[in-house]
Amino acid sequence: MNRAYLVHVLRANWFRLLLVAIGLAIWGAILPIVYDAFGQQFRSIMDSGIIPPQFAQFGGGDIFSLTGSVALGFIHPFAVALNMVFAVGFAGAAIAGERQRGTLEVLLARPISRRVLYLTAAFATALFVCLTVAAQTLGTFGGAGATGRLDELGAGNLPLLWFNAVLLYGAFAAVALAASISFDRLTPALGVALAFVLVSYFFEAVGSLWPDAAFLQDYSLFHYLDAQRALTGLPDVRDFAILGAVIIIGVAYALAMFPRRDLAAPA
Amino acid sequence: MAVIETRGLTKQYGRQLAPALADLDLTVEPGEIFGFLGPNGAGKSTTIRLLLGFLHPSAGVAHVLGHDIDRGSVEIRRRTGYLPGGIAFWDGLTGERLLDELAAMSGRAPTRRAELLDRLELADALHRPVRDYSRGMRQKLGIIQALQHDPELAILDEPSEGLDPLMQRAFYEILEELRAAGRTIFFSSHVLSEVERICDRVAIVRSGRLVALEDVAALLARRRRNVELRFDGDAPMLDFVPGVSDIHVNGDRLTCGLEGDVAPFLAAIAFAKIHDLTIEPASLEDAFLEFYADDVVTPVAR
């Protein structure tokens, strides 16, 4: 890893990181507060049968418990979008963006191997993902604390939830970084990474809401973020293994392919 | 030991018929300024990118500063300064921050930065964001980032592009001082006058092949000069003078071509009544155009 390049990346992204972290912390805090204020009303509405019961299961659990609400909050489009700022936006642009801008020339004119460059970008991405997910997790902790529901939340298991979410967004980041080293232009790199996220989200949403399509969930990375189980302290290790495997495959692909690529002169 | 040495260096993209670079044999010695000439698409950038490890050779071998270009690329870049053509920067940084960061990434102290800033008159602009720089200022910044750590070898792609004539002169002086200090400069250019002025040797590539590799002085010495003289009385007899060709006499005016040694020509006209004599100096441009005039590529003999 190249420390000077890492410092450059951190300097260039600290303000964006701050904004995303604040947004996710607020979002994380809101869900326990909303649950505290409206949880009973929501349960009454669901009990009335107006809304299909599958909706109550979306996000991996019972949304009429605090843990279920928090689980929903972790894969809500708002949280996903904010987390993807770094998991896909930064990671997808890390190499392809430098290449398109022409600054990869300047970087690779230094005594930095492509593997080191990639690993530095991957480390920065991992750091950003860890911090943004931590912000949401801490927000959840703060929201539960403010409403006096820390015990109900199982706050001691929040690190497990954080780890599970880091693995999820880390897996998307690994795919985005693999796309980033594969293309000379930003658009296809981001396009591939975003398409992967959208298809994955679509499979999870459809599989969750439509029993006949439940098999699709197995093909969605979102399915392997089981926040409710993590908060009970009994996560499914296979979830972690699958997400970890995606990360390893993405990293291995990038480490093998990036040094082999021919980097022709920028157009 | 040669600073740059290539043997049969070849780069072919995919299955396209013509290689971007074919069978390049080149040796650049320590302490020389080596010009690399050729039209767009001739293979100049491909060669530079192969030497720096941006591209992988399809065939052949090359060593830079004693390191194999494929296996020792990082070591090569540790000891080399590189100015890419049309260089781009992170525009939000100030010039100073940018140079600091690039020096930190190089892992070598920017010992020549202050002097280069002074010589290229960029010191006053360093606190401004790079996005506010003109094209010429960006080029100066590019030159400084390539040379600030006093590399043993500088590889410069179109280095004087965007510089005004005063700055070009300052830049040439910097290169000449680097040469005097034992540094080696390898640069590509379209500006023939600058190659002619500062290079010790020049290589000309065309369609991916090396078509000439010579001392600039020797190349110029071999070039045909255009001679025009005005005389009184009989025209001087030049028909059998070595190196003289295309003799045309029109009244009191004689024109001819002159190649090689001028002594026989001067001896032949010594007793003629010459009242005006013009010998147009040979230019590298003539040589360059000659190499590019033919459609048939004649690779240089190895």
Side-chain angles (χ1 to χ4, degrees):
Chain A
M1 196 167 62
N2 186 278
R3 188 172 167 273
Y5 179 54
L6 180 65
V7 169
H8 164 80
V9 169
L10 297 180
R11 273 189 182 140
N13 287 280
W14 72 268
F15 188 65
R16 190 177 303 132
L17 176 66
L18 186 68
L19 289 180
V20 170
I22 290 172
L24 281 168
I26 292 171
W27 174 254
I30 282 175
L31 285 166
I33 294 170
V34 169
Y35 170 78
D36 184 62
F38 304 109
Q40 289 307 315
Q41 288 94 315
F42 287 157
R43 178 171 290 278
S44 303
I45 291 170
M46 289 304 295
D47 287 346
S48 71
I50 297 172
I51 299 174
Q54 286 81 5
F55 279 86
Q57 301 299 317
F58 182 65
D62 168 21
I63 62 170
F64 302 111
S65 65
L66 179 58
T67 52
S69 295
V70 169
L72 178 62
F74 266 79
I75 67 157
H76 189 280
F78 181 76
V80 170
L82 280 181
N83 275 300
M84 291 302 175
V85 168
F86 286 103
V88 168
F90 172 79
I95 304 296
E98 301 280 10
R99 179 105 173 92
Q100 179 170 312
R101 200 183 302 123
T103 43
L104 191 64
E105 306 285 297
V106 182
L107 275 173
L108 289 179
R110 317 293 129 192
I112 304 173
S113 72
R114 295 191 205 176
R115 284 200 175 109
V116 167
L117 189 71
Y118 167 80
L119 287 173
T120 307
F123 180 83
T125 307
L127 186 65
F128 292 144
V129 167
C130 286
L131 290 174
T132 53
V133 174
Q136 186 177 359
T137 310
L138 287 173
T140 301
F141 180 80
T147 54
R149 292 178 179 271
L150 278 177
D151 290 342
E152 190 179 339
L153 179 65
N157 293 318
L158 278 174
L160 270 179
L161 172 58
W162 171 83
F163 183 63
N164 197 171
V166 163
L167 284 179
L168 172 70
Y169 291 110
F172 283 121
V175 172
L177 274 166
S180 193
I181 64 102
S182 301
F183 295 99
D184 292 335
R185 312 290 296 176
L186 189 54
T187 309
L190 283 179
V192 166
L194 271 177
F196 184 69
V197 172
L198 290 174
V199 168
S200 204
Y201 201 83
F202 176 76
F203 282 0
E204 173 63 9
V206 170
S208 176
L209 299 174
W210 183 19
D212 289 345
F215 70 94
L216 288 176
Q217 288 180 288
D218 291 341
Y219 301 102
S220 166
L221 291 187
F222 288 102
H223 188 57
Y224 303 103
L225 170 61
D226 196 339
Q228 200 166 31
R229 286 191 68 166
L231 284 170
T232 61
L234 296 168
D236 188 341
V237 178
R238 283 174 302 179
D239 292 348
F240 292 10
I242 288 169
L243 293 173
V246 172
I247 292 172
I248 289 168
I249 290 168
V251 171
Y253 167 84
L255 287 175
M257 296 306 293
F258 190 31
R260 292 180 189 178
R261 281 201 63 204
D262 276 332
L263 301 174
Chain B
M1 184 181 67
V3 174
I4 297 174
E5 187 170 19
T6 71
R7 288 286 170 264
L9 191 62
T10 300
K11 181 64 193 174
Q12 180 131 20
Y13 292 104
R15 293 178 180 175
Q16 75 183 52
L17 293 174
L21 189 70
D23 264 342
L24 180 70
D25 289 354
L26 203 63
T27 304
V28 178
E29 300 297 339
E32 74 173 328
I33 301 181
F34 190 94
F36 202 49
L37 293 176
N40 293 335
K44 301 190 301 294
S45 292
T46 298
T47 304
I48 288 176
R49 299 179 80 77
L50 282 164
L51 295 178
L52 289 168
F54 292 96
L55 299 175
H56 303 289
S58 307
V61 293
H63 290 83
V64 177
L65 296 164
H67 298 283
D68 179 87
I69 56 168
D70 230 17
R71 292 191 296 273
S73 172
V74 172
E75 275 312 306
I76 290 169
R77 285 179 275 139
R78 193 182 307 285
R79 297 163 62 188
T80 302
Y82 173 47
L83 171 70
I87 190 168
F89 298 114
W90 301 287
D91 286 352
L93 301 181
T94 64
E96 186 167 29
R97 170 64 66 78
L98 181 83
L99 290 175
D100 283 346
E101 290 195 358
L102 292 177
M105 290 177 205
S106 293
R108 287 175 63 172
T111 51
R112 293 187 69 100
R113 186 196 298 177
E115 178 210 336
L116 290 166
L117 285 170
D118 186 46
R119 300 280 290 278
L120 295 174
E121 299 176 7
L122 197 65
D124 292 342
L126 270 195
H127 64 282
R128 287 161 50 191
V130 175
R131 74 168 73 89
D132 294 342
Y133 281 24
S134 67
R135 184 160 178 239
M137 292 163 79
R138 283 170 177 266
Q139 191 69 3
K140 290 181 198 176
L141 198 62
I143 291 168
I144 294 168
Q145 63 81 30
L147 302 178
Q148 64 174 343
H149 55 291
D150 198 16
E152 291 161 64
L153 167 67
I155 296 180
L156 312 171
D157 200 351
E158 309 280 352
S160 63
E161 217 170 63
L163 297 182
D164 63 49
L166 280 177
M167 284 302 105
Q168 282 183 11
R169 180 180 295 181
F171 172 63
Y172 299 152
E173 287 171 4
I174 290 167
L175 293 189
E176 282 162 0
E177 286 167 18
L178 287 173
R179 170 171 54 191
R183 306 294 183 250
T184 307
I185 318 287
F186 180 94
F187 80 91
S188 73
S189 179
H190 284 124
V191 185
L192 300 168
S193 59
E194 78 179 6
V195 172
E196 187 175 334
R197 173 177 170 166
I198 62 171
C199 286
D200 301 305
R201 286 197 303 148
V202 60
I204 300 177
V205 284
R206 177 186 174 200
S207 303
R209 290 184 183 276
L210 184 67
V211 293
L213 172 60
E214 292 200 56
D215 286 348
V216 171
L219 193 62
L220 292 178
R222 285 202 298 106
R223 299 279 34 93
R224 174 189 153 122
R225 306 166 189 86
N226 292 319
V227 177
E228 179 179 336
L229 59 84
R230 290 180 186 279
F231 55 90
D232 290 329
D234 295 333
M237 291 299 292
L238 301 174
D239 292 351
F240 300 105
V241 177
V244 174
S245 59
D246 292 337
I247 303 166
H248 295 285
V249 179
N250 186 4
D252 67 343
R253 179 170 168 271
L254 181 149
T255 60
C256 64
L258 175 60
E259 293 174 51
D261 190 0
V262 298
F265 170 76
L266 292 176
I269 65 170
F271 299 104
K273 293 180 179 173
I274 308 294
H275 61 81
D276 191 18
L277 172 64
T278 306
I279 301 179
E280 210 175 85
S283 75
L284 196 61
E285 187 163 356
D286 292 332
F288 186 84
L289 291 174
E290 186 175 301
F291 279 115
Y292 283 86
D294 301 331
D295 286 327
V296 180
V297 176
T298 310
V300 69
R302 288 182 207 144

